[in-house]
Amino acid sequence: MSEDKRLIQLALESRDKAYAPYSEFPVGAALLTEEGETYTGVNVENGVNDLSICAERVALFKAISEGERKFTKLAVVCEGEYCQPCGACRQTLFEHAPNLTVLMGNLKEEYRTVQLAELLPEAFQLE
Ligand code: THU
């Protein structure tokens, strides 16, 4: 199985663990490090809506908190044609992985491959 398909499958498996009782829109993500480790994430919602967090950032924060710093690829899956990371996730990911490849997947294991830089042109960067 290709690395991309494996990442999409991991994202799909993790999606089952999403905590999304308010939106009923579960999302799963899988982030690949340069060393070949993977960290999964799901959206975790809260009754105080502003406190909810997306699957992509959960995967990233899990990895960062384990000491990981270099990332090559992220798969994200949800219902719909292809799962597009929100703006907050794009900016957060950009800080750590400006050259990240993003696999935007759906529930049929189809995906589109894009570069994070294409999703967030002229990203904010502290000088
Ligand atoms: N969501 C994600 O987990 N990732 C995204 O990139 C977009 C949206 C979640 C947030 C919320 O829990 C649900 O999807 C509906 O917006």
Side-chain angles (χ1 to χ4, degrees):
M1 186 194 303
S2 79
E3 179 183 85
D4 289 4
K5 287 215 158 96
R6 189 179 66 87
L7 272 184
I8 288 286
Q9 283 192 2
L10 279 172
L12 275 168
E13 282 166 26
S14 69
R15 179 177 168 273
D16 292 338
K17 303 189 186 87
Y19 179 75
Y22 304 105
S23 69
E24 297 184 348
F25 190 80
V27 182
L31 181 64
L32 182 67
T33 72
E34 218 171 72
E35 303 286 310
E37 295 294 323
T38 48
Y39 291 83
T40 57
V42 296
N43 50 336
V44 183
E45 298 185 346
N46 191 278
V48 178
N49 201 32
D50 285 354
L51 302 182
S52 298
I53 185 165
C54 296
E56 299 92 315
R57 275 176 289 158
V58 169
L60 177 68
F61 295 162
K62 277 170 68 178
I64 293 278
S65 68
E66 293 296 324
E68 302 287 1
R69 289 294 184 268
K70 293 190 172 160
F71 309 102
T72 56
K73 215 174 265 182
L74 170 94
V76 57
V77 297
C78 62
E79 260 178 26
E81 199 180 353
Y82 295 105
C83 201
Q84 292 150 324
C86 80
C89 287
R90 294 177 195 198
Q91 181 66 44
T92 308
L93 288 162
F94 191 87
E95 169 102 11
H96 301 278
N99 298 317
L100 193 71
T101 298
V102 181
L103 311 176
M104 303 190 303
N106 63 27
L107 303 191
K108 293 183 277 184
E109 298 189 26
E110 300 161 340
Y111 57 92
R112 271 182 58 203
T113 305
V114 292
Q115 295 306 305
L116 179 61
E118 294 172 61
L119 296 177
L120 192 69
E122 302 195 44
F124 173 77
Q125 270 181 300
L126 271 183
E127 286 307 312

